Amino acid sequence: MVSASDLIGTAASGTGPFNPLIVGVGQLAPLGLKPAQWDRRPLLDEAQAAAAEIGSSTEEEARAIIHRNAASLVLVEGQVWIATVEPLYVVGYASPEDYQAGIRSAWIEIDEVGGGRREIGKHFRADHLADALLAVAPDGDWDPDDPSTFGDRVHNVATVRDASVLRYGYDQYPALQAGLKQLVQIAGAKLATFTSPTIMEWTRTRDLIQAKAPGGAISGAADRLAEALQGEYETGLAASIRRETELWRLSPIAQNADAVEGPRP
């Protein structure tokens, strides 16, 4: 471990471009079309810097920052990696042109923020490359162990070294909650135009969503709401609600299986 005095000595004797004892402090000055540079005024001359004494220290703060940054690092086979949330394959359209042509592809996505919506048929575990390929090209001639057979449809491939650390389960409940909550809010803006039976179905569905009731109860109430909305000529809204409940019913049981598909290291 390097002591604080050693660090102070290094700072006082260093000549690097980011050493404030030598270079000083200032502001970033733009130079027209040329790259910007720091407009600094040295705090100490060379003789003063060599004899500099530090009157205060932020050693504890620096140590906390070091520990915080080191907590996200992982040593794997002699290489340092940055730990992230679990990556997933996402199936979709990579560009507006692909959307127009109906060409779907897959790519690895890391949702650091954690606010993204995950759906069955769109998000796949990192060791389920074959399932992602099936969603991208159901009639394609590809081999999940040979990237050369699907390189044009998968933008990047995850190498799974230990599937036991994967925790993602195909749980459609969060997506069911989020999707129906938004659709119920949209329908709520039109309550004044609905009949009493439709308002009652809307109220039941809203209350079950707020209570985080089981998916079966929520989807059943939502289906009844969709039927009522169909009678109010809200066909688009009804279809969107049915899509959410159908995805919920199609979702498999969450499970963690060994990696059996996809390229190996």
Side-chain angles (χ1 to χ4, degrees), residues 24 100 168-169:
Q100 292 292 335
Y168 176 68

Side-chain angles (χ1 to χ4, degrees), residues 88-229:
L88 299 175
Y89 282 109
V90 180
V91 172
Y93 300 101
S95 67
E97 292 76 17
D98 284 353
Y99 176 77
Q100 292 292 335
I103 300 174
R104 301 210 295 177
S105 55
W107 57 88
I108 284 290
E109 182 178 87
I110 299 176
D111 184 11
E112 292 286 4
V113 178
R117 173 174 169 167
R118 299 173 178 178
E119 296 183 9
I120 180 176
K122 181 178 180 181
H123 293 83
F124 300 87
R125 254 176 52 160
D127 60 334
H128 290 176
L129 175 59
D131 290 339
L133 287 169
L134 189 61
V136 168
D139 301 323
D141 184 15
W142 41 259
D143 179 356
D145 290 320
D146 184 1
S148 66
T149 63
F150 57 80
D152 60 331
R153 303 296 291 274
V154 180
H155 301 291
N156 49 5
V157 177
T159 300
V160 178
R161 297 179 181 272
D162 182 4
S164 66
V165 302
L166 300 178
R167 293 291 179 267
Y168 176 68
Y170 294 101
D171 183 3
Q172 188 66 16
Y173 183 80
L176 176 73
Q177 272 265 354
L180 288 181
K181 181 179 179 180
Q182 181 180 19
L183 293 170
V184 165
Q185 288 175 345
I186 293 173
K190 305 179 181 182
L191 281 184
T193 65
F194 293 160
T195 61
S196 295
T198 301
I199 294 175
M200 292 178 62
E201 296 296 348
W202 179 89
T203 303
R204 291 192 189 99
T205 306
R206 180 205 59 183
D207 291 346
L208 288 170
I209 293 172
Q210 291 179 346
K212 295 183 178 179
I218 293 177
S219 61
D223 282 337
R224 292 189 293 272
L225 173 60
E227 185 176 354
L229 289 172

